[in-house]
Amino acid sequence: MALFNIRAPLYISLEITYECNNYCTGCINELSFSRRRKTPPSNWQKIIDAIADTAAQIRVTGGEPTLHPHINEIAAYLDAKALPFVIFSHGRLPTIHHLLPTLQRATYFWGFLISMHGRTAKTHENFTNVKHSYQQMLDGIAAVRELGLPFFTTTVIRDEVMDEIEAIAELAYSLSAETINFNRYLGLKNGKFVATDEQLRLAIRKVEQLRKDKGYPTYIGNCIPQCFEAYEYPEFQISGLTNCTIDPDGNVRAGHDPKIFGNVLQQSLEEIWCNQAVARYLDEVPATCKDCIYAYTCPGGSRALANKLGLPQDPLITKAIRRSDKKEIVIPRGCIPTLNKFAKIRQENFGCIIYDFNTMYPVAASNSWVEELFNRRQPIEKLTAEHGNTVLEFMAALNDAGLVEFNDSASM
């Protein structure tokens, strides 16, 4: 599968501040350690204006974004621009308290992603290096819940939480977290933080089992290659293709990779995304990954980690997964395929993309019938008769991406 470069990224992380009042030893954001640098005071509005026309979702991060002196104005401005946004935060009171009334008034605020780094104060604070941060995080969640604001949790998979995964999920579920995410640690090797390959596989299986057996909304939240260990609902997002990170100075990067592609205060995001530096970054994907059915999930896995470790590719990558290796899906006869309620279609030079707030799938110009397919709302048998088994293969790919639903024709 060839990787198409879209004209501008869909999912944008705004690192609006370098400051943080947690001191997480396992933090993978190198900017968080640049605490002495002062955040440019007025860049945020110019940056939002520069990305507003192309972004599908904004992740407001940092540092700790709620420490930004203009965080209330930033949140209100994103909302006024009708940009769906999530705030990545440690969730601690009193730090986040001043922002909550603004978020309660917002239409496009989709929730906090709150770091829950353990089930006990000891485990959590071993990671944050701040006393009382565990209880302050729980107090923050209580304040968020009291106002009816949505939130999600995230936990870094590491050696010291292996025995707490179920307990963390139980706590987050009891507090009404919308999703409970467990993330692979992507920092440099550190004995008390790095999970072994065996532990990581076990953690993935636990996360999957908790969702299936107990109904907890537990997911793997960042890039673990499917060839390492299969799991459901992988994010179809790629740094350098669908995702980018913009720092407080306007510099555009691919996720946590320090390589800078350009600056949105000097060029448009579309100009930056079409330059040769981005093309070269995509070309660095291992040949094996380009032939994988998950090429739009993790081509090259975490290249930022590979670069940090001085490796040619993510150490978890093994082999390409073919369609024949993937469990077949059953599409009911007579059903009408429709895009999920958040999905949209955007025209690109190579054809178009189908995307929602979390997922993207490219469609080549040779498949120009795709857009018409969803507009016509025809039963799957009729579509297959017109376009052959290509329709079934396409529907299987969209199903993998979570972009399509199969509705009974009688209910349409």
PDB file of all heavy atoms in Angstrom, residues 20-38:
ATOM      1  N   CYS A  20       5.058  22.940  33.374  1.00  0.00           N
ATOM      2  CA  CYS A  20       4.283  21.867  33.999  1.00  0.00           C
ATOM      3  C   CYS A  20       4.659  21.812  35.467  1.00  0.00           C
ATOM      4  O   CYS A  20       5.825  21.996  35.826  1.00  0.00           O
ATOM      5  CB  CYS A  20       4.567  20.519  33.335  1.00  0.00           C
ATOM      6  SG  CYS A  20       3.511  19.181  33.962  1.00  0.00           S
ATOM      7  N   ASN A  21       3.669  21.572  36.349  1.00  0.00           N
ATOM      8  CA  ASN A  21       3.960  21.442  37.770  1.00  0.00           C
ATOM      9  C   ASN A  21       3.935  19.987  38.241  1.00  0.00           C
ATOM     10  O   ASN A  21       3.917  19.713  39.435  1.00  0.00           O
ATOM     11  CB  ASN A  21       3.033  22.314  38.625  1.00  0.00           C
ATOM     12  CG  ASN A  21       1.563  22.089  38.333  1.00  0.00           C
ATOM     13  OD1 ASN A  21       1.206  21.342  37.418  1.00  0.00           O
ATOM     14  ND2 ASN A  21       0.693  22.721  39.103  1.00  0.00           N
ATOM     15  N   ASN A  22       3.926  19.034  37.284  1.00  0.00           N
ATOM     16  CA  ASN A  22       4.334  17.661  37.553  1.00  0.00           C
ATOM     17  C   ASN A  22       5.750  17.509  37.033  1.00  0.00           C
ATOM     18  O   ASN A  22       6.179  18.245  36.138  1.00  0.00           O
ATOM     19  CB  ASN A  22       3.426  16.653  36.833  1.00  0.00           C
ATOM     20  CG  ASN A  22       2.199  16.285  37.652  1.00  0.00           C
ATOM     21  OD1 ASN A  22       2.027  16.758  38.770  1.00  0.00           O
ATOM     22  ND2 ASN A  22       1.354  15.454  37.087  1.00  0.00           N
ATOM     23  N   TYR A  23       6.473  16.538  37.566  1.00  0.00           N
ATOM     24  CA  TYR A  23       7.857  16.311  37.149  1.00  0.00           C
ATOM     25  C   TYR A  23       8.040  14.839  36.786  1.00  0.00           C
ATOM     26  O   TYR A  23       8.854  14.134  37.369  1.00  0.00           O
ATOM     27  CB  TYR A  23       8.821  16.745  38.261  1.00  0.00           C
ATOM     28  CG  TYR A  23       8.784  18.239  38.475  1.00  0.00           C
ATOM     29  CD1 TYR A  23       7.828  18.814  39.304  1.00  0.00           C
ATOM     30  CD2 TYR A  23       9.671  19.072  37.809  1.00  0.00           C
ATOM     31  CE1 TYR A  23       7.763  20.187  39.476  1.00  0.00           C
ATOM     32  CE2 TYR A  23       9.615  20.453  37.979  1.00  0.00           C
ATOM     33  CZ  TYR A  23       8.667  20.998  38.816  1.00  0.00           C
ATOM     34  OH  TYR A  23       8.604  22.370  38.976  1.00  0.00           O
ATOM     35  N   CYS A  24       7.243  14.406  35.820  1.00  0.00           N
ATOM     36  CA  CYS A  24       7.199  12.989  35.466  1.00  0.00           C
ATOM     37  C   CYS A  24       8.535  12.543  34.866  1.00  0.00           C
ATOM     38  O   CYS A  24       8.949  13.040  33.814  1.00  0.00           O
ATOM     39  CB  CYS A  24       6.069  12.719  34.479  1.00  0.00           C
ATOM     40  SG  CYS A  24       4.438  13.165  35.122  1.00  0.00           S
ATOM     41  N   THR A  25       9.162  11.595  35.545  1.00  0.00           N
ATOM     42  CA  THR A  25      10.425  11.065  35.054  1.00  0.00           C
ATOM     43  C   THR A  25      10.241  10.420  33.696  1.00  0.00           C
ATOM     44  O   THR A  25      11.148  10.425  32.864  1.00  0.00           O
ATOM     45  CB  THR A  25      10.989  10.031  36.051  1.00  0.00           C
ATOM     46  OG1 THR A  25      11.023  10.619  37.351  1.00  0.00           O
ATOM     47  CG2 THR A  25      12.382   9.590  35.658  1.00  0.00           C
ATOM     48  N   GLY A  26       9.063   9.883  33.451  1.00  0.00           N
ATOM     49  CA  GLY A  26       8.792   9.200  32.195  1.00  0.00           C
ATOM     50  C   GLY A  26       8.178  10.073  31.126  1.00  0.00           C
ATOM     51  O   GLY A  26       7.674   9.575  30.124  1.00  0.00           O
ATOM     52  N   CYS A  27       8.207  11.402  31.304  1.00  0.00           N
ATOM     53  CA  CYS A  27       7.599  12.289  30.311  1.00  0.00           C
ATOM     54  C   CYS A  27       8.361  12.202  29.003  1.00  0.00           C
ATOM     55  O   CYS A  27       9.598  12.300  28.978  1.00  0.00           O
ATOM     56  CB  CYS A  27       7.593  13.724  30.816  1.00  0.00           C
ATOM     57  SG  CYS A  27       6.813  14.888  29.671  1.00  0.00           S
ATOM     58  N   ILE A  28       7.636  12.014  27.889  1.00  0.00           N
ATOM     59  CA  ILE A  28       8.288  11.917  26.589  1.00  0.00           C
ATOM     60  C   ILE A  28       8.294  13.249  25.848  1.00  0.00           C
ATOM     61  O   ILE A  28       8.836  13.355  24.762  1.00  0.00           O
ATOM     62  CB  ILE A  28       7.627  10.841  25.694  1.00  0.00           C
ATOM     63  CG1 ILE A  28       6.169  11.200  25.402  1.00  0.00           C
ATOM     64  CG2 ILE A  28       7.757   9.484  26.312  1.00  0.00           C
ATOM     65  CD1 ILE A  28       5.518  10.273  24.397  1.00  0.00           C
ATOM     66  N   ASN A  29       7.671  14.268  26.453  1.00  0.00           N
ATOM     67  CA  ASN A  29       7.675  15.587  25.812  1.00  0.00           C
ATOM     68  C   ASN A  29       8.891  16.359  26.297  1.00  0.00           C
ATOM     69  O   ASN A  29       8.916  16.876  27.412  1.00  0.00           O
ATOM     70  CB  ASN A  29       6.393  16.343  26.155  1.00  0.00           C
ATOM     71  CG  ASN A  29       6.266  17.629  25.364  1.00  0.00           C
ATOM     72  OD1 ASN A  29       7.245  18.132  24.829  1.00  0.00           O
ATOM     73  ND2 ASN A  29       5.072  18.161  25.298  1.00  0.00           N
ATOM     74  N   GLU A  30       9.893  16.443  25.443  1.00  0.00           N
ATOM     75  CA  GLU A  30      11.133  17.089  25.840  1.00  0.00           C
ATOM     76  C   GLU A  30      10.930  18.560  26.180  1.00  0.00           C
ATOM     77  O   GLU A  30      11.672  19.142  26.966  1.00  0.00           O
ATOM     78  CB  GLU A  30      12.181  16.940  24.741  1.00  0.00           C
ATOM     79  CG  GLU A  30      12.583  15.487  24.520  1.00  0.00           C
ATOM     80  CD  GLU A  30      13.577  15.321  23.399  1.00  0.00           C
ATOM     81  OE1 GLU A  30      13.982  16.348  22.822  1.00  0.00           O
ATOM     82  OE2 GLU A  30      13.943  14.179  23.115  1.00  0.00           O
ATOM     83  N   LEU A  31       9.899  19.176  25.606  1.00  0.00           N
ATOM     84  CA  LEU A  31       9.646  20.584  25.907  1.00  0.00           C
ATOM     85  C   LEU A  31       9.256  20.772  27.365  1.00  0.00           C
ATOM     86  O   LEU A  31       9.411  21.847  27.919  1.00  0.00           O
ATOM     87  CB  LEU A  31       8.547  21.127  24.999  1.00  0.00           C
ATOM     88  CG  LEU A  31       8.889  21.213  23.516  1.00  0.00           C
ATOM     89  CD1 LEU A  31       7.709  21.797  22.756  1.00  0.00           C
ATOM     90  CD2 LEU A  31      10.118  22.061  23.280  1.00  0.00           C
ATOM     91  N   SER A  32       8.720  19.709  27.990  1.00  0.00           N
ATOM     92  CA  SER A  32       8.321  19.829  29.383  1.00  0.00           C
ATOM     93  C   SER A  32       9.513  20.092  30.287  1.00  0.00           C
ATOM     94  O   SER A  32       9.357  20.549  31.413  1.00  0.00           O
ATOM     95  CB  SER A  32       7.615  18.542  29.839  1.00  0.00           C
ATOM     96  OG  SER A  32       6.399  18.391  29.151  1.00  0.00           O
ATOM     97  N   PHE A  33      10.708  19.783  29.814  1.00  0.00           N
ATOM     98  CA  PHE A  33      11.890  20.005  30.630  1.00  0.00           C
ATOM     99  C   PHE A  33      12.512  21.377  30.358  1.00  0.00           C
ATOM    100  O   PHE A  33      13.514  21.740  30.963  1.00  0.00           O
ATOM    101  CB  PHE A  33      12.900  18.889  30.383  1.00  0.00           C
ATOM    102  CG  PHE A  33      12.345  17.540  30.732  1.00  0.00           C
ATOM    103  CD1 PHE A  33      11.937  16.652  29.744  1.00  0.00           C
ATOM    104  CD2 PHE A  33      12.183  17.171  32.052  1.00  0.00           C
ATOM    105  CE1 PHE A  33      11.401  15.427  30.078  1.00  0.00           C
ATOM    106  CE2 PHE A  33      11.649  15.941  32.388  1.00  0.00           C
ATOM    107  CZ  PHE A  33      11.258  15.057  31.406  1.00  0.00           C
ATOM    108  N   SER A  34      11.917  22.138  29.451  1.00  0.00           N
ATOM    109  CA  SER A  34      12.418  23.480  29.141  1.00  0.00           C
ATOM    110  C   SER A  34      11.645  24.498  29.964  1.00  0.00           C
ATOM    111  O   SER A  34      11.106  25.460  29.448  1.00  0.00           O
ATOM    112  CB  SER A  34      12.262  23.771  27.644  1.00  0.00           C
ATOM    113  OG  SER A  34      12.895  22.790  26.876  1.00  0.00           O
ATOM    114  N   ARG A  35      11.564  24.270  31.262  1.00  0.00           N
ATOM    115  CA  ARG A  35      10.663  25.040  32.110  1.00  0.00           C
ATOM    116  C   ARG A  35      11.097  26.498  32.271  1.00  0.00           C
ATOM    117  O   ARG A  35      10.310  27.340  32.660  1.00  0.00           O
ATOM    118  CB  ARG A  35      10.543  24.385  33.484  1.00  0.00           C
ATOM    119  CG  ARG A  35      10.005  22.964  33.406  1.00  0.00           C
ATOM    120  CD  ARG A  35       9.976  22.333  34.793  1.00  0.00           C
ATOM    121  NE  ARG A  35       9.840  20.888  34.714  1.00  0.00           N
ATOM    122  CZ  ARG A  35       8.693  20.257  34.598  1.00  0.00           C
ATOM    123  NH1 ARG A  35       7.583  20.940  34.555  1.00  0.00           N
ATOM    124  NH2 ARG A  35       8.651  18.944  34.538  1.00  0.00           N
ATOM    125  N   ARG A  36      12.350  26.776  31.982  1.00  0.00           N
ATOM    126  CA  ARG A  36      12.832  28.146  32.169  1.00  0.00           C
ATOM    127  C   ARG A  36      12.477  29.043  30.991  1.00  0.00           C
ATOM    128  O   ARG A  36      12.601  30.250  31.076  1.00  0.00           O
ATOM    129  CB  ARG A  36      14.346  28.137  32.380  1.00  0.00           C
ATOM    130  CG  ARG A  36      14.761  27.421  33.666  1.00  0.00           C
ATOM    131  CD  ARG A  36      16.275  27.467  33.860  1.00  0.00           C
ATOM    132  NE  ARG A  36      16.663  26.759  35.058  1.00  0.00           N
ATOM    133  CZ  ARG A  36      17.919  26.592  35.461  1.00  0.00           C
ATOM    134  NH1 ARG A  36      18.902  27.120  34.740  1.00  0.00           N
ATOM    135  NH2 ARG A  36      18.195  25.923  36.552  1.00  0.00           N
ATOM    136  N   ARG A  37      12.066  28.422  29.890  1.00  0.00           N
ATOM    137  CA  ARG A  37      11.702  29.230  28.729  1.00  0.00           C
ATOM    138  C   ARG A  37      10.343  29.864  28.952  1.00  0.00           C
ATOM    139  O   ARG A  37       9.435  29.255  29.498  1.00  0.00           O
ATOM    140  CB  ARG A  37      11.666  28.358  27.478  1.00  0.00           C
ATOM    141  CG  ARG A  37      13.032  27.862  27.055  1.00  0.00           C
ATOM    142  CD  ARG A  37      12.943  27.137  25.741  1.00  0.00           C
ATOM    143  NE  ARG A  37      12.442  28.023  24.694  1.00  0.00           N
ATOM    144  CZ  ARG A  37      12.219  27.615  23.448  1.00  0.00           C
ATOM    145  NH1 ARG A  37      12.437  26.371  23.109  1.00  0.00           N
ATOM    146  NH2 ARG A  37      11.777  28.458  22.542  1.00  0.00           N
ATOM    147  N   LYS A  38      10.187  31.080  28.503  1.00  0.00           N
ATOM    148  CA  LYS A  38       8.900  31.756  28.623  1.00  0.00           C
ATOM    149  C   LYS A  38       8.060  31.479  27.391  1.00  0.00           C
ATOM    150  O   LYS A  38       8.546  31.530  26.271  1.00  0.00           O
ATOM    151  CB  LYS A  38       9.105  33.270  28.779  1.00  0.00           C
ATOM    152  CG  LYS A  38       9.723  33.657  30.104  1.00  0.00           C
ATOM    153  CD  LYS A  38       9.822  35.162  30.206  1.00  0.00           C
ATOM    154  CE  LYS A  38      10.482  35.552  31.507  1.00  0.00           C
ATOM    155  NZ  LYS A  38       9.598  35.645  32.620  1.00  0.00           N
TER     156      LYS A  38
END
